[in-house]
Amino acid sequence: MAQPASRAAPIAAASRSRGGPGSRRTVASPDRAGFVRSAIQDTPTPHPFARPYVTAPTRTPPIVERVPHAALLIDRRDPGRRFDVWPVVNIGRSTDNTLQVLDMLVSRRHACLRLEQQRYCLFDLGSANGTFVNNQRVNGARFLSDGDVLAFGETEFMFRQLA
């Protein structure tokens, strides 16, 4: 049975559990007749699989390195997929590479494409399955020409020098 309460001061929360998502708290308040009634208030519980929406960081080089794109890598399986070549492009399976290649035969850090002496040079970074240019394995470094076919694992790109 509800007990009468003083009309002068309302009764604060009678009992509380620890706060946080999904917690309940009991709030007691006097009604018009002076009887205390309790109500259980639920705090909203987030869905157990809910995650905040996170966007991938853009991979634009610092302003110092921004130059007009002088070369492209064109996917041989899907020629509509074209990738701009910056002065330095890291190629591999890991997400921290400039060009991420999702191929199990590609190492996490597979190769590096770098602009040197106004020409692009391809470096193999000690990959397990090797880097190939026109079906020839790259040992160390190799300068690229327009139309060269680069192979990383089972993924092939055509190198196009624009300028």
Side-chain angles (χ1 to χ4, degrees), residues 7 9 13 16 29 31 36 57 65 71 74 83 98 113 133 147 159 162:
R7 289 184 190 255
R16 285 189 185 177
S29 61
D31 64 353
V36 176
E65 290 186 7
I74 302 168
F83 304 96
T98 313
L113 191 58
V133 175
F159 176 78
L162 303 175

Side-chain angles (χ1 to χ4, degrees), residues 51-161:
R51 291 190 177 128
Y53 180 72
V54 178
T55 58
T58 57
R59 297 184 194 275
T60 55
I63 293 179
V64 180
E65 290 186 7
R66 286 190 187 172
V67 295
H69 301 298
L72 289 174
L73 287 177
I74 302 168
D75 192 344
R76 298 264 300 200
R77 289 185 185 167
D78 182 10
R81 292 181 60 200
R82 297 168 181 244
F83 304 96
D84 294 323
V85 178
W86 294 95
V88 177
V89 176
N90 293 317
I91 302 165
R93 201 178 66 235
S94 177
T95 58
D96 62 343
N97 289 306
T98 313
L99 178 59
Q100 183 183 13
V101 180
L102 299 177
D103 184 346
M104 290 307 296
L105 297 176
V106 174
S107 300
R108 286 176 289 201
R109 291 191 41 105
H110 196 92
C112 179
L113 191 58
R114 191 177 311 152
L115 182 63
E116 291 186 356
Q117 305 166 2
Q118 301 300 322
R119 293 181 63 195
Y120 281 94
C121 188
L122 180 67
F123 297 90
D124 183 53
L125 300 177
S127 61
N129 294 317
T131 300
F132 295 86
V133 175
N134 298 329
N135 293 324
Q136 295 178 352
R137 190 175 185 129
V138 175
N139 294 321
R142 169 136 183 211
F143 282 102
L144 298 177
S145 301
D146 185 37
D148 282 346
V149 176
L150 314 178
F152 311 104
E154 293 180 348
T155 306
E156 292 184 343
F157 295 97
M158 179 180 284
F159 176 78
R160 296 304 310 238
Q161 184 119 17

